[in-house]
Amino acid sequence: MVIFMIFKDRKAKYTICRTLAAACVLCMFIQSLFLTVSADENKTEFPSLDGAEYVYLYNFENDTVLYEKGDFDAPVYPTSTVKLMAGIAAIEALEGDFTKSITITDEMLSHASGNSIGLVAGEVVTAEQMLYAALINSANDAAVVLAYIASGSIDDFVQLMNRKAEELGAHGTVYTNPTGMHDDAMKTTTADTVLIAKYAYTLPKLMEIVGAQKYVMDATNLSEYRNIYNRNCLISKHYRTEYYYPNAIGMNAGSTAQGGYCTVAAAKNNDGTLTYLCVIMNAKAVETDGVDDLRNYSCAVDLFDWAFDAYSYREILSEKTVICEIPVELSSTADYVTLVPSDSLTVYLASDIDVEKEIKIIPTTTDEILDAPIEKGQVLGQAKVVYGDKELGRVDLTATSDITRSEFLFVLRRIGEITSQRFFIGAIAAAVILSVIYVLVKARIRQRRYRSRVQNVRRRR
């Protein structure tokens, strides 16, 4: 209004109105755009997994499979995932003696080809050094020497690996060497690889090793110290930087022409409450702008990002949530008592689930009506929490307050109970009947006496 008072010219007023209207429309458009962008940022979309034939995603804490792709029982070549089992077998065979040493021979090195850390005959190394070199750098010479340290020979060590696979239930797995170098006879399945990875996760020493970005191998009698870097690109940036994943905590990766690109990876969220296992077998390298996109890594990163965003621990019930109420008798201060959960209930749940609309809370109580007294915290029922057909948990329901008993009402109740008993009713009925009989008998006697007196009076006359 002030503006219109200042500008008296009609044309000026019209120009101002048009400008203000345009500004309002622009503000609304910007706000709409911002809301749209925000919604898109918050939207959890499942990633494309093109180029990965077999995929598995699992949460350790809740024993939950989030995603599976491919025939998990189909035979695949294990590539360097073999070294996970080599690490398991060696750690258990050594029984904690990781300082055990061995002198390397030409015969040992004759079994090693491919990636190596340059071990030489006559060099003295320890089991721990070979574990790190084999598991984080995927060094084949170290894996072979480790087999000799743990079992005395490659054949005995491979038998040990196969026995452990059978023990874990990995019946579709056959090992022929501890390195993962291709052999048509060496097979595994995605399902078996998952079993082996889950077991590996339970071994602190192994997880400590596979999570290391770098290991400095002390100088030996024939070599200066070695800087050994993790070849798992989720863990270390040394070989390639684009797949580095800060939340990754270890395991391994490898590739062969026949087995494709494989990754067994574990990642943990920032507060350490959720740990995921991702297994990708027989993935491809897809060329993009002249650079190979290793789909075993990029798919693992995308899956971890999706899992951390799509699932979380969510509080379904709090200790302050009133679930239901029960009528109370024998109290002059309260007609009912409210029930709340004895503990909060937090559930691992998809982030897009509407807790208020999609989660059902089904209470059951010990009684439909309660008698006072009632103590605060007294367990009076249970709440079942359900999502669809799945039960998410149960929590005891407790009273929110103390409710005292009215002695007057209690006495009235007792009187009512007594008077309603059959014995009491029978006694009252018997008393009534006896009283009636007594009255009738008395009336009969009085009537006879009266007649007798009348007859006596007549006789006297």
Side-chain angles (χ1 to χ4, degrees), residues 55-340:
V55 181
Y56 177 87
L57 183 64
Y58 170 82
N59 175 253
F60 281 103
E61 288 79 9
N62 299 281
D63 190 22
T64 301
V65 178
L66 275 70
Y67 181 76
E68 292 178 316
K69 175 186 177 183
D71 180 1
F72 275 22
D73 294 321
V76 295
Y77 295 117
T79 72
S80 276
T81 63
V82 165
K83 291 188 177 76
L84 270 182
M85 178 54 81
I88 292 170
I91 287 171
E92 293 188 340
L94 290 165
E95 297 180 335
D97 183 12
F98 303 119
T99 62
K100 186 176 180 181
S101 62
I102 196 170
T103 301
I104 298 171
T105 66
D106 287 326
E107 194 266 334
M108 294 178 190
L109 297 177
S110 68
H111 297 284
S113 60
N115 182 55
S116 76
I117 58 168
L119 296 173
V120 296
E123 192 169 6
V124 179
V125 296
T126 67
E128 183 161 67
Q129 291 171 336
M130 297 300 95
L131 277 167
Y132 270 95
L135 289 173
I136 74 170
N137 192 257
S138 201
N140 294 333
D141 55 352
V144 168
V145 174
L146 181 64
Y148 277 89
I149 296 175
S151 296
S153 71
I154 290 180
D155 288 343
D156 287 345
F157 189 68
V158 168
Q159 288 182 26
L160 184 63
M161 292 169 62
N162 283 320
R163 284 199 300 271
K164 190 63 184 181
E166 280 294 318
E167 179 186 318
L168 295 178
H171 305 303
T173 296
V174 177
Y175 297 116
T176 61
N177 65 60
T179 65
M181 291 296 289
H182 180 71
D183 182 341
D184 285 343
M186 185 159 62
K187 298 285 182 68
T188 189
T189 67
T190 306
D192 287 357
T193 305
V194 167
L195 288 175
I196 293 163
K198 287 180 179 179
Y199 184 76
Y201 182 72
T202 68
L203 303 179
K205 182 64 176 179
L206 187 144
M207 292 304 297
E208 172 192 322
I209 293 172
V210 296
Q213 293 185 352
K214 174 185 174 182
Y215 174 70
V216 179
M217 181 176 165
D218 292 338
T220 67
N221 60 319
L222 295 179
S223 174
E224 297 294 328
Y225 74 90
R226 295 174 173 92
N227 286 322
I228 300 175
Y229 294 92
N230 202 322
R231 284 186 175 273
N232 182 349
C233 295
L234 297 173
I235 299 293
S236 170
K237 296 180 181 180
H238 184 74
Y239 295 99
R240 291 185 69 163
T241 61
E242 67 268 37
Y243 303 118
Y244 175 71
Y245 197 72
N247 293 97
I249 60 172
M251 298 204 185
N252 77 340
S255 66
T256 63
Q258 298 83 357
Y261 291 83
C262 302
T263 288
V264 177
K268 190 180 290 287
N269 64 349
N270 293 331
D271 62 8
T273 57
L274 290 172
T275 311
Y276 291 99
L277 171 67
C278 179
V279 175
I280 297 177
M281 304 296 285
N282 198 26
K284 298 177 181 178
V286 180
E287 185 176 334
T288 305
D289 298 328
V291 179
D292 283 340
D293 174 17
L294 306 183
R295 294 298 287 159
N296 58 319
Y297 286 127
S298 54
C299 287
V301 168
D302 290 344
L303 279 171
F304 283 140
D305 281 342
W306 173 80
F308 286 129
D309 188 46
Y311 285 82
S312 61
Y313 286 114
R314 304 176 65 185
E315 186 178 68
I316 306 300
L317 296 176
S318 75
E319 297 175 25
K320 297 180 180 179
T321 306
V322 175
I323 302 300
C324 62
E325 59 184 41
I326 307 178
V328 174
E329 295 183 347
L330 301 183
S331 173
S332 59
T333 59
D335 296 327
Y336 63 90
V337 61
T338 54
L339 304 187
V340 297

